[in-house]
Every structure is written in structure tokens, then in C-alpha cells.
Amino acid sequence: MTAVQSIADYHFLKLNEELLQDPYPFYKQLRDSGPVCRESDYGVHLVGTLDAIREVNRQPEVFSSILVANAPYVELPCPLDAIVEYRAANPYSDKILSNDPPDHTRHRRLVNRFFTTKRVREIEPRIRQMANEIIDTFIDDGEVEFVTGFAHMLPRLVVGELIGLPEADQAQFRKFFEDRLAVMARLAEQPLEGLQERMRNQGGLTEDVFLREYFVEAIESRRKTPRGDIMSELANATFEDGAQVPLESVVSMISLLYSAGGDANTPELMTNSMLALLDRPELEQALRADASLAKGFVEEVLRYDTPVPGVFRVALEDTSVAGVPVAKGEIVMVVYGAANHDESYFSDPESFRMGREYSHPHLGFGIGAHFCPGAPLARLEGQVAVQEVLRRMINIRRADDRPVPYVPSVIQRIPIRLRLQFDTAV
């Protein structure tokens, strides 16, 4: 990259290989340039300090999550007010991730109980068993493509079992999502120029339709005959006022739990953890000597190499962030990856320090109303993955010296592939 003079020179939202490999100089300049900077390509307000992000996330009634993932790349098909009204009237619209209070709040309360630390800890032995069953499939080969062969597989198996996906159907689901990952990998091999347009034009059955068609029938069945799983609990749940949760809302929530539980945060956390170990052999040695250190290690991975480095919000009215005016309809991006290196809260933030003492929680799972409900599960899966991989594999190394290719995204930080070689532990 040529000499950078301003935030605009990075063209952050346009994506380039150098930024995908190392976004941290950009994050530093974003914080140094002010808590809020407007980039020039799409007019998005980039928010990069922890204080300013807290200001945004304290006001979900002003900064809507309705375009959380795809702004500003997808043109709005109609005025913002019409989108908000349509989403509110659509029975299958997302109830959690891209929803806003008060409707978001009443649905979020329904799923929070499934991912308490206590409830998650009760299934730790099963998670550990699944991790080893996956390792069994490649341990004799001495190599594995870690992203698809482990990091995506374990969380999807775990969440599938939790929600009540029959083992016989797991293969069907795995095939669908493996095909989707393969499409993303092929796209990522192509030049970044025009990437968003190519992604929009991909044909075939969408994830939303695929999951909806399956879960409508499954949830109707569980309303008649509950089976003691999350799907059964939600199928027969009621809101605080006693009203039964509509079938469409249950389908939307279960679809999100399965999709996000398998894709959002956890595969990124596992893969970025492996990269951290490959780059820092002294940490691997420490973790092999004391497996309990995995908890602090995972927290530092979440801070240092944030799995979801940012999400988008849209202003529903004229407002401001840190004194910077934001007009109705303008897009704001809260850049968690930058805030997690905020010198005001994290001492020596560019150093990876396992067991770091935090003066403020990191934003590895977001903050505020949309803090990831599955955070306890993702944390535990990350810890188990590190412990079991190191227990069964030694002399872990990259299969080649080429830079790992990253998924071309500003809201997801994970390599497309990470091929490893290893020796089997005695």
C-alpha cells in the first residue's frame, strides 16, 4: 500500500488484501483520527473507540440493527421507513440479530436462558467428546484443513444437538453449509474488485429458505410431541404476558440459533486461536503444561483478533455520535476490532498477553442489547478446542509458508483455509 495520509486512503470498506491480512494499522489510525471518521467510498461513519461505541449501542432505538450485516453494500430497495414497516409486518423476519427493541427484547429473553454459563457447563463433557470424534477422523492422516475440517464442524454439531436436530439429518445440513463455504472460498480466490456484486448474484437455495422449510415441519411436530430439546422449549414457549410465541417467530429464532451457532464467532475464534499458537510457540508450551490457561488464552484471542470486527447500524433519526452529526438514514459502523485495541482501556494493546487483566470487558462478543447470547457456549467451545487439539497433536505447523487467505469481509475475520500438519501425541 502506498503512503497513507488519511482514513480515506485505506478504502477500508472496499477491501484489499493488505487490510485483510493486517487491519491493525488502520484501526490505530481510525482511533487516532477521532472517535468517529467518515470514510469516502460509501459515506459510512466509522466508530473506533470504546467510549463512542458504547454511546451508539446505548441507543438501539436511534441506531437500528436492521442492516447489521450487509450495509452499505446492498442498495436499499425502498425508503428506510418502509423497510422498518415491512420487517415489522413480516412474520418470518429475524427477531434477534437485525431486530430492534422492544420486539427484539421480548424475543431475546426467550433464548437467553439456553446459554447461561451453568447450562453450558453441563454439556462440557459432550462438547469434549464431539471434539475428539472429529479429531479421530483426521488424526491418522497427520494433516487437516482446519477451517472446514474442525473449526466449522464442531460448533455446528454442538448447536445441532442442542436445538434437537436429529443425527440422521446432520449430514444433510452439513452438505448444505459445506457447499455454501465452498462457494465463498471460490469467490474469495477471485479479485476483490466487484466481489460484493458477485456474491449478490450467486444463485441456488438461500440459507434462510433452506432452514425455514426444514424447521417449520420440525417445530410443528414438537408442538404436538415435545422432545426435551431447545426446539421443543421454544415451540411451546410463551411471552411474559402469557401469549404463545407464533410458529413463524419460533422458526426464525431456531434458524438463527443454528446458523449463528455454527458460523458466527466460534469458527473464527477457533481458527484465530490456532494462528495465535502457530505464531507464538511459547504460548503453546504454556498451554500444554497447564490446560487451565485456555480460558485466559481464549479471552485474549477474542480481544486481539476479534472474530466479528464490526457491524453496521443505521440512524433512524437525525442524531450524533461523540459530537459528530449523523443524519437519518446514514450508516454507522461500530468497529469492535479497533475498540479492542483502544489504549485508553487496554494497556499495551498490540501485545498478545494471555491472562490479561481487563479494566473493561473486551468487545469480542459485542456490547449492549445485541451482546451475543451464545457467548458462554462459544467461549467453552473455544477452550475445549484448544485443549483437545493440543492434547492429541504435537509439532503442529502450517503445511506451507504462504500467507493464509482471509474471508473477504469487514464483519468477519477468519482465514478461508488453514492447512496444518502435525504429529500424533503419544
Side-chain angles (χ1 to χ4, degrees), residues 299-338:
E299 291 306 310
E300 185 67 343
V301 173
L302 288 164
R303 181 200 70 84
Y304 187 90
D305 217 7
T306 310
V308 178
V311 294
F312 297 103
R313 303 283 187 254
V314 58
L316 298 180
E317 60 186 57
D318 292 343
T319 184
S320 65
V321 180
V324 177
V326 177
K328 178 180 178 179
E330 290 185 337
I331 304 298
V332 167
M333 183 182 187
V334 288
V335 188
Y336 297 137

Short mmCIF file of all heavy atoms in Angstrom, two decimals, residues 299-338:
data_model
loop_
_atom_site.label_atom_id
_atom_site.label_comp_id
_atom_site.label_asym_id
_atom_site.label_seq_id
_atom_site.Cartn_x
_atom_site.Cartn_y
_atom_site.Cartn_z
N GLU A 299 -9.82 -15.60 25.89
CA GLU A 299 -10.25 -14.20 26.06
C GLU A 299 -9.34 -13.25 25.30
O GLU A 299 -9.80 -12.28 24.70
CB GLU A 299 -10.27 -13.84 27.55
CG GLU A 299 -11.36 -14.53 28.34
CD GLU A 299 -12.75 -14.33 27.75
OE1 GLU A 299 -13.13 -13.19 27.45
OE2 GLU A 299 -13.45 -15.35 27.58
N GLU A 300 -8.04 -13.52 25.33
CA GLU A 300 -7.12 -12.63 24.62
C GLU A 300 -7.24 -12.77 23.11
O GLU A 300 -7.10 -11.79 22.37
CB GLU A 300 -5.69 -12.88 25.08
CG GLU A 300 -4.66 -11.91 24.50
CD GLU A 300 -4.79 -10.47 24.98
OE1 GLU A 300 -5.85 -10.10 25.52
OE2 GLU A 300 -3.83 -9.70 24.81
N VAL A 301 -7.53 -13.98 22.62
CA VAL A 301 -7.80 -14.13 21.18
C VAL A 301 -9.02 -13.31 20.79
O VAL A 301 -9.02 -12.62 19.76
CB VAL A 301 -8.01 -15.62 20.82
CG1 VAL A 301 -8.46 -15.75 19.36
CG2 VAL A 301 -6.74 -16.42 21.04
N LEU A 302 -10.07 -13.36 21.60
CA LEU A 302 -11.29 -12.60 21.32
C LEU A 302 -11.00 -11.10 21.26
O LEU A 302 -11.59 -10.38 20.45
CB LEU A 302 -12.34 -12.88 22.39
CG LEU A 302 -13.00 -14.27 22.33
CD1 LEU A 302 -13.72 -14.57 23.64
CD2 LEU A 302 -13.99 -14.34 21.17
N ARG A 303 -10.13 -10.63 22.13
CA ARG A 303 -9.79 -9.20 22.11
C ARG A 303 -8.84 -8.87 20.97
O ARG A 303 -9.09 -7.95 20.17
CB ARG A 303 -9.12 -8.79 23.43
CG ARG A 303 -8.77 -7.29 23.48
CD ARG A 303 -7.73 -6.96 24.52
NE ARG A 303 -6.40 -7.47 24.19
CZ ARG A 303 -5.53 -6.84 23.39
NH1 ARG A 303 -5.85 -5.67 22.83
NH2 ARG A 303 -4.33 -7.36 23.14
N TYR A 304 -7.76 -9.61 20.89
CA TYR A 304 -6.69 -9.26 19.98
C TYR A 304 -7.08 -9.44 18.52
O TYR A 304 -6.79 -8.59 17.67
CB TYR A 304 -5.46 -10.11 20.29
CG TYR A 304 -4.23 -9.73 19.52
CD1 TYR A 304 -3.33 -8.80 20.02
CD2 TYR A 304 -3.95 -10.31 18.28
CE1 TYR A 304 -2.20 -8.44 19.31
CE2 TYR A 304 -2.82 -9.95 17.57
CZ TYR A 304 -1.95 -9.02 18.08
OH TYR A 304 -0.82 -8.67 17.37
N ASP A 305 -7.74 -10.54 18.21
CA ASP A 305 -8.09 -10.87 16.82
C ASP A 305 -9.59 -11.09 16.75
O ASP A 305 -10.07 -12.19 16.49
CB ASP A 305 -7.34 -12.14 16.39
CG ASP A 305 -6.88 -12.09 14.94
OD1 ASP A 305 -7.02 -11.03 14.31
OD2 ASP A 305 -6.38 -13.12 14.45
N THR A 306 -10.33 -10.04 16.98
CA THR A 306 -11.78 -10.08 17.19
C THR A 306 -12.50 -10.81 16.05
O THR A 306 -12.38 -10.42 14.88
CB THR A 306 -12.33 -8.66 17.31
OG1 THR A 306 -11.53 -7.94 18.27
CG2 THR A 306 -13.78 -8.66 17.76
N PRO A 307 -13.25 -11.88 16.36
CA PRO A 307 -13.90 -12.68 15.31
C PRO A 307 -14.88 -11.89 14.45
O PRO A 307 -14.94 -12.08 13.24
CB PRO A 307 -14.63 -13.78 16.10
CG PRO A 307 -13.90 -13.87 17.39
CD PRO A 307 -13.44 -12.48 17.69
N VAL A 308 -15.68 -11.04 15.08
CA VAL A 308 -16.59 -10.15 14.35
C VAL A 308 -16.09 -8.72 14.59
O VAL A 308 -16.46 -8.08 15.57
CB VAL A 308 -18.05 -10.31 14.81
CG1 VAL A 308 -18.97 -9.34 14.07
CG2 VAL A 308 -18.52 -11.75 14.60
N PRO A 309 -15.23 -8.22 13.70
CA PRO A 309 -14.55 -6.95 13.98
C PRO A 309 -15.41 -5.71 13.83
O PRO A 309 -14.96 -4.61 14.16
CB PRO A 309 -13.40 -6.93 12.97
CG PRO A 309 -13.83 -7.84 11.88
CD PRO A 309 -14.71 -8.89 12.50
N GLY A 310 -16.64 -5.87 13.37
CA GLY A 310 -17.51 -4.70 13.27
C GLY A 310 -18.85 -5.08 12.70
O GLY A 310 -18.99 -6.12 12.05
N VAL A 311 -19.86 -4.26 13.00
CA VAL A 311 -21.19 -4.43 12.43
C VAL A 311 -21.75 -3.06 12.11
O VAL A 311 -21.24 -2.03 12.58
CB VAL A 311 -22.15 -5.17 13.40
CG1 VAL A 311 -21.72 -6.61 13.61
CG2 VAL A 311 -22.26 -4.44 14.73
N PHE A 312 -22.81 -3.05 11.31
CA PHE A 312 -23.39 -1.80 10.83
C PHE A 312 -24.67 -1.46 11.58
O PHE A 312 -25.42 -2.34 12.00
CB PHE A 312 -23.69 -1.90 9.33
CG PHE A 312 -22.46 -2.09 8.48
CD1 PHE A 312 -22.16 -3.34 7.96
CD2 PHE A 312 -21.61 -1.03 8.21
CE1 PHE A 312 -21.02 -3.53 7.19
CE2 PHE A 312 -20.47 -1.20 7.43
CZ PHE A 312 -20.18 -2.46 6.92
N ARG A 313 -24.90 -0.18 11.73
CA ARG A 313 -26.15 0.36 12.26
C ARG A 313 -26.62 1.46 11.31
O ARG A 313 -25.81 2.05 10.59
CB ARG A 313 -25.94 0.94 13.67
CG ARG A 313 -25.37 -0.05 14.69
CD ARG A 313 -26.44 -1.01 15.18
NE ARG A 313 -25.97 -1.86 16.27
CZ ARG A 313 -25.67 -3.13 16.15
NH1 ARG A 313 -25.76 -3.71 14.96
NH2 ARG A 313 -25.29 -3.85 17.19
N VAL A 314 -27.90 1.75 11.35
CA VAL A 314 -28.44 2.83 10.52
C VAL A 314 -29.22 3.78 11.42
O VAL A 314 -29.98 3.35 12.29
CB VAL A 314 -29.33 2.29 9.38
CG1 VAL A 314 -30.48 1.46 9.92
CG2 VAL A 314 -29.84 3.41 8.50
N ALA A 315 -29.01 5.08 11.23
CA ALA A 315 -29.68 6.09 12.05
C ALA A 315 -31.14 6.23 11.63
O ALA A 315 -31.44 6.45 10.45
CB ALA A 315 -28.97 7.43 11.93
N LEU A 316 -32.04 6.10 12.59
CA LEU A 316 -33.48 6.25 12.32
C LEU A 316 -33.94 7.69 12.46
O LEU A 316 -35.10 8.00 12.16
CB LEU A 316 -34.28 5.35 13.26
CG LEU A 316 -34.03 3.84 13.14
CD1 LEU A 316 -34.90 3.08 14.13
CD2 LEU A 316 -34.30 3.36 11.72
N GLU A 317 -33.05 8.55 12.89
CA GLU A 317 -33.38 9.98 13.03
C GLU A 317 -32.08 10.76 12.99
O GLU A 317 -30.99 10.20 13.10
CB GLU A 317 -34.10 10.23 14.35
CG GLU A 317 -33.28 9.85 15.58
CD GLU A 317 -34.05 9.97 16.88
OE1 GLU A 317 -35.11 9.33 16.99
OE2 GLU A 317 -33.58 10.71 17.77
N ASP A 318 -32.19 12.07 12.81
CA ASP A 318 -31.00 12.93 12.88
C ASP A 318 -30.44 12.85 14.29
O ASP A 318 -31.17 13.01 15.29
CB ASP A 318 -31.36 14.38 12.54
CG ASP A 318 -31.75 14.56 11.08
OD1 ASP A 318 -31.44 13.66 10.26
OD2 ASP A 318 -32.36 15.59 10.75
N THR A 319 -29.14 12.61 14.40
CA THR A 319 -28.54 12.43 15.71
C THR A 319 -27.06 12.77 15.63
O THR A 319 -26.62 13.47 14.72
CB THR A 319 -28.75 10.97 16.19
OG1 THR A 319 -28.24 10.82 17.50
CG2 THR A 319 -28.08 9.96 15.26
N SER A 320 -26.26 12.27 16.57
CA SER A 320 -24.82 12.49 16.55
C SER A 320 -24.14 11.39 17.35
O SER A 320 -24.77 10.71 18.16
CB SER A 320 -24.46 13.86 17.16
OG SER A 320 -24.81 13.90 18.53
N VAL A 321 -22.84 11.21 17.09
CA VAL A 321 -22.01 10.29 17.86
C VAL A 321 -20.74 11.04 18.23
O VAL A 321 -20.04 11.55 17.35
CB VAL A 321 -21.65 9.02 17.06
CG1 VAL A 321 -20.78 8.10 17.90
CG2 VAL A 321 -22.90 8.29 16.60
N ALA A 322 -20.45 11.12 19.51
CA ALA A 322 -19.27 11.83 20.00
C ALA A 322 -19.21 13.25 19.43
O ALA A 322 -18.14 13.75 19.09
CB ALA A 322 -18.00 11.06 19.68
N GLY A 323 -20.39 13.87 19.27
CA GLY A 323 -20.47 15.23 18.76
C GLY A 323 -20.45 15.35 17.25
O GLY A 323 -20.62 16.46 16.71
N VAL A 324 -20.29 14.23 16.54
CA VAL A 324 -20.28 14.25 15.07
C VAL A 324 -21.69 14.02 14.55
O VAL A 324 -22.32 13.00 14.88
CB VAL A 324 -19.34 13.16 14.53
CG1 VAL A 324 -19.38 13.12 13.00
CG2 VAL A 324 -17.92 13.38 15.02
N PRO A 325 -22.23 14.94 13.75
CA PRO A 325 -23.61 14.79 13.26
C PRO A 325 -23.77 13.55 12.37
O PRO A 325 -22.90 13.23 11.56
CB PRO A 325 -23.85 16.06 12.45
CG PRO A 325 -22.83 17.04 12.94
CD PRO A 325 -21.64 16.22 13.31
N VAL A 326 -24.89 12.85 12.56
CA VAL A 326 -25.26 11.71 11.73
C VAL A 326 -26.71 11.92 11.32
O VAL A 326 -27.60 12.02 12.17
CB VAL A 326 -25.12 10.37 12.50
CG1 VAL A 326 -25.58 9.20 11.62
CG2 VAL A 326 -23.68 10.16 12.96
N ALA A 327 -26.96 11.97 10.03
CA ALA A 327 -28.31 12.24 9.53
C ALA A 327 -29.13 10.96 9.45
O ALA A 327 -28.59 9.86 9.34
CB ALA A 327 -28.24 12.90 8.15
N LYS A 328 -30.43 11.11 9.51
CA LYS A 328 -31.33 9.98 9.36
C LYS A 328 -31.02 9.23 8.07
O LYS A 328 -30.86 9.83 7.01
CB LYS A 328 -32.78 10.45 9.34
CG LYS A 328 -33.79 9.33 9.13
CD LYS A 328 -35.22 9.85 9.12
CE LYS A 328 -36.21 8.71 8.86
NZ LYS A 328 -37.62 9.17 8.87
N GLY A 329 -30.94 7.90 8.17
CA GLY A 329 -30.66 7.07 7.02
C GLY A 329 -29.19 6.82 6.77
O GLY A 329 -28.83 5.96 5.95
N GLU A 330 -28.30 7.54 7.45
CA GLU A 330 -26.87 7.31 7.26
C GLU A 330 -26.41 6.08 8.06
O GLU A 330 -27.00 5.72 9.08
CB GLU A 330 -26.07 8.54 7.66
CG GLU A 330 -26.25 9.71 6.70
CD GLU A 330 -25.37 10.89 7.01
OE1 GLU A 330 -24.94 11.05 8.18
OE2 GLU A 330 -25.12 11.70 6.08
N ILE A 331 -25.36 5.47 7.55
CA ILE A 331 -24.85 4.22 8.12
C ILE A 331 -23.70 4.52 9.08
O ILE A 331 -22.83 5.33 8.80
CB ILE A 331 -24.36 3.27 7.01
CG1 ILE A 331 -25.47 3.01 5.99
CG2 ILE A 331 -23.86 1.95 7.62
CD1 ILE A 331 -26.69 2.34 6.55
N VAL A 332 -23.74 3.82 10.20
CA VAL A 332 -22.65 3.86 11.18
C VAL A 332 -22.09 2.45 11.30
O VAL A 332 -22.84 1.48 11.33
CB VAL A 332 -23.17 4.34 12.56
CG1 VAL A 332 -22.15 4.07 13.65
CG2 VAL A 332 -23.55 5.81 12.50
N MET A 333 -20.77 2.33 11.33
CA MET A 333 -20.14 1.03 11.59
C MET A 333 -19.42 1.11 12.93
O MET A 333 -18.51 1.92 13.10
CB MET A 333 -19.16 0.65 10.49
CG MET A 333 -18.55 -0.74 10.73
SD MET A 333 -17.34 -1.20 9.47
CE MET A 333 -17.02 -2.92 9.95
N VAL A 334 -19.83 0.27 13.87
CA VAL A 334 -19.10 0.17 15.13
C VAL A 334 -18.00 -0.86 14.93
O VAL A 334 -18.26 -2.03 14.68
CB VAL A 334 -20.04 -0.21 16.30
CG1 VAL A 334 -20.93 0.96 16.67
CG2 VAL A 334 -20.92 -1.41 15.98
N VAL A 335 -16.75 -0.39 15.00
CA VAL A 335 -15.60 -1.22 14.65
C VAL A 335 -15.02 -1.82 15.93
O VAL A 335 -14.13 -1.25 16.57
CB VAL A 335 -14.54 -0.40 13.88
CG1 VAL A 335 -13.44 -1.33 13.35
CG2 VAL A 335 -15.18 0.34 12.72
N TYR A 336 -15.56 -2.97 16.32
CA TYR A 336 -15.14 -3.63 17.56
C TYR A 336 -13.64 -3.95 17.54
O TYR A 336 -12.96 -3.90 18.57
CB TYR A 336 -15.93 -4.91 17.77
CG TYR A 336 -17.41 -4.73 17.97
CD1 TYR A 336 -18.34 -5.57 17.35
CD2 TYR A 336 -17.92 -3.71 18.78
CE1 TYR A 336 -19.70 -5.42 17.53
CE2 TYR A 336 -19.27 -3.54 18.97
CZ TYR A 336 -20.17 -4.40 18.34
OH TYR A 336 -21.52 -4.24 18.52
N GLY A 337 -13.13 -4.33 16.37
CA GLY A 337 -11.71 -4.68 16.27
C GLY A 337 -10.81 -3.52 16.64
O GLY A 337 -9.76 -3.72 17.25
N ALA A 338 -11.21 -2.31 16.29
CA ALA A 338 -10.44 -1.12 16.66
C ALA A 338 -10.58 -0.83 18.15
O ALA A 338 -9.59 -0.54 18.84
CB ALA A 338 -10.89 0.08 15.83
#
